[in-house]
């Protein structure tokens, strides 16, 4: 995992990161590089400044400060020495590299009729480390099962940045595709065809169209494609039973989610929001919630124990409940699923 990041770093930065304490390296989430300012790393939900010898400090004056030369080397490496070829990615403010790692950029923007045309004089980088964690959704999936239909409830996953939303939907895609429903009474359920719209190449980390991460045997990925268009393309071409998409929020995203829902496809999507009330403060999300497009919402938050979930039913009054079977019904389902 880290090999795909280390080779992008100039020697000055790679040497520092390689000397970080092993415990911090295992939990590394972000590397924040700001020209002429303290080098900062995030791990285990905490942030500290890194010294030239890899030591960690709470005081910024003890940190290594990358200069313009180091930042220029970094930019050349992540753009493969061609800023022009990466113009579209730069305009969006981030670049996704092999392994699904996303590098955010900050600098001076160039405007054209009020819209960002390019970003120049880049002096800030945020390298976000993507991690594949099998079992990340184990505590969530059993709470989202649609028992009558033997599939997943249409679900909106919400949480602030860095709470594990992408990690969880990646694992959800894997489990749904493989038919690993994380509940003994659902052991006989088949896997479902999963379509993944991976606009930023973070969910699947595809290389030449082939996912680097494990999404299970029945997953199809539309890589580096805008979310709304990708959902429509999957509906037309791949007949998915479940669509997984990250960070919806635009009006065109909402229209595509509605279209998928009306076609009988379960949509699992993430969105930036602290909680459900916060999500309802965003007009696009509020309309989808009020229309009953999603049957459940799950709020994610990181803790020392891992990723925790609060699940809220969004079913409208009068809608049939997808209740969990009683213990007796579960035993019968388990018995039916056992080979004779």
């Amino acid at each position: 995992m880290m090999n795909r990041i280390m080779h992008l770093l100039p020697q000055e930065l790679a040497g520092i990161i390689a000397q970080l304490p092993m415990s911090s390296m295992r939990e590394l989430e972000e590397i924040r590089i700001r020209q002429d300012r303290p080098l900062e790393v995030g791990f285990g939900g905490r942030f500290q400044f890194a010294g030239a010898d890899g030591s960690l400090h709470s005081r910024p004056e003890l940190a290594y400060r990358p200069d313009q030369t180091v930042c220029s080397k970094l930019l050349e490496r992540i753009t493969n020495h061609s800023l022009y070829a990466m113009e579209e990615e730069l305009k969006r403010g981030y670049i996704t590299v092999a392994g699904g790692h996303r590098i955010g950029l900050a600098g001076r923007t160039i405007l054209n009729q009020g819209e960002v045309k390019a970003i120049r004089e880049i002096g800030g980088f945020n390298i976000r480390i993507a991690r594949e964690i099998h079992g990340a959704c184990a505590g969530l999936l059993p709470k989202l099962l649609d028992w009558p239909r033997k599939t997943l409830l249409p679900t909106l996953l919400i949480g602030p940045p860095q709470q594990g939303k992408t990690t969880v939907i990646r694992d959800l895609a894997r489990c749904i595709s493989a038919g690993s429903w994380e509940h003994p009474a659902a052991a006989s359920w088949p896997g479902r065809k999963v379509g993944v719209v991976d606009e930023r190449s973070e969910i699947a980390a595809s290389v030449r169209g082939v996912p680097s991460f494990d999404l299970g045997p029945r997953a199809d990925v539309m890589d580096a494609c805008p979310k709304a268009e990708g959902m429509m393309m999957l509906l037309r071409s791949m007949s998915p039973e479940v669509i997984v998409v990250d960070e919806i929020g635009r009006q065109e995203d909402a229209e595509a989610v509605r279209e998928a829902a009306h076609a009988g496809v379960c949509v699992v999507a993430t969105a930036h929001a602290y909680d459900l009330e916060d999500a309802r403060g965003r007009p696009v999300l509020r309309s989808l919630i009020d229309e009953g497009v999603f049957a459940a919402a799950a709020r994610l938050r990181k803790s020392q124990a891992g990723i925790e979930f609060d699940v809220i039913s969004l079913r409208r009054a009068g809608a049939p409940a997808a209740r969990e079977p009683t213990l007796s019904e579960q035993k019968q389902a388990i018995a039916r699923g056992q080979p004779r």
Side-chain angles (χ1 to χ4, degrees):
M1 177 190 64
M2 285 304 297
N3 289 339
R4 293 180 173 178
I5 290 296
M6 296 295 278
H7 84 279
L8 293 172
L9 300 178
Q11 184 177 357
E12 296 89 339
L13 293 174
I16 294 172
I17 299 303
Q19 295 181 80
L20 291 175
M22 188 56 64
S23 58
S24 303
M25 182 72 86
R26 284 196 298 265
E27 297 183 299
L28 194 62
E29 297 169 349
E30 286 191 356
I31 305 170
R32 289 184 172 266
I33 302 143
R34 305 174 176 101
Q35 182 178 322
D36 298 325
R37 286 166 290 169
L39 177 65
E40 188 178 25
V41 294
F43 55 94
R46 298 181 294 135
F47 283 88
Q48 286 193 296
F49 299 105
D53 59 354
S55 57
L56 296 175
H57 309 275
S58 58
R59 294 163 53 190
E61 62 269 21
L62 299 177
Y64 169 78
R65 295 172 181 257
D67 59 17
Q68 183 180 11
T69 300
V70 171
C71 290
S72 296
K73 288 180 184 177
L74 176 60
L75 183 60
E76 288 178 1
R77 286 170 179 251
I78 65 177
T79 59
N80 200 22
H81 304 279
S82 178
L83 284 172
Y84 178 78
M86 304 292 289
E87 194 72 37
E88 193 62 33
E89 288 87 347
L90 291 170
K91 184 171 68 174
R92 294 184 301 187
Y94 63 85
I95 294 173
T96 305
V97 298
H101 311 292
R102 184 167 63 171
I103 303 176
L105 307 167
R108 184 172 66 89
T109 58
I110 307 298
L111 301 181
N112 181 18
Q113 296 183 349
E115 295 186 357
V116 176
K117 179 181 178 181
I119 182 168
R120 295 285 186 268
E121 299 175 8
I122 296 170
F125 306 82
N126 178 23
I127 302 175
R128 295 180 59 180
I129 312 299
R131 295 185 182 278
E132 182 179 32
I133 303 177
H134 283 202
C137 74
L140 175 65
L141 183 52
K143 302 175 183 178
L144 300 178
L145 298 182
D146 187 336
W147 293 95
R149 299 182 180 181
K150 296 184 178 181
T151 186
L152 192 74
L153 293 170
T155 302
L156 179 66
L157 279 67
I158 56 179
Q162 283 192 283
Q163 298 305 303
K165 296 187 295 298
T166 302
T167 301
V168 169
I169 63 166
R170 182 187 299 124
D171 200 44
L172 280 172
R174 180 186 64 83
C175 288
I176 298 165
S177 168
S180 302
W181 299 97
E182 300 291 345
H183 196 294
S188 63
W189 292 10
R192 299 295 180 181
K193 293 178 291 182
V194 178
V196 178
V197 184
D198 199 3
E199 182 173 2
R200 296 183 305 276
S201 303
E202 287 185 299
I203 303 173
S206 295
V207 177
R208 297 184 180 90
V210 180
S212 297
F213 290 141
D214 180 10
L215 298 182
R218 300 179 181 88
D220 300 295
V221 181
M222 200 66 72
D223 183 49
C225 182
K227 287 182 279 289
E229 187 172 352
M231 282 187 272
M232 293 300 95
M233 291 174 69
L234 284 170
L235 283 174
R236 290 192 295 265
S237 62
M238 303 307 294
S239 64
E241 296 170 285
V242 178
I243 286 180
V244 172
V245 60
D246 208 4
E247 293 185 19
I248 63 170
R250 297 190 176 189
Q251 188 60 47
E252 55 265 35
D253 299 341
E255 292 300 328
V257 170
R258 289 188 186 96
E259 190 70 22
H262 293 157
V265 176
C266 167
V267 177
V268 180
T270 73
H272 285 314
Y274 179 75
D275 53 21
L276 186 60
E277 182 179 356
D278 195 15
R280 289 180 58 82
R282 300 176 61 183
V284 168
L285 298 181
R286 183 174 65 245
S287 64
L288 292 174
I289 293 169
D290 290 347
E291 293 167 21
V293 172
F294 295 108
R299 176 176 175 257
L300 277 62
R301 63 183 183 278
K302 277 188 178 178
S303 70
Q304 290 186 344
I307 302 174
E308 297 182 351
F309 312 96
D310 294 323
V311 178
I312 305 166
S313 174
L314 298 179
R315 288 193 179 275
R316 292 171 291 183
R323 67 173 180 84
E324 182 175 355
T326 63
L327 183 59
S328 175
E329 291 170 336
Q330 290 185 32
K331 290 179 179 178
Q332 293 175 16
I334 294 169
R336 286 196 298 271
Q338 292 175 342
R340 298 183 181 277

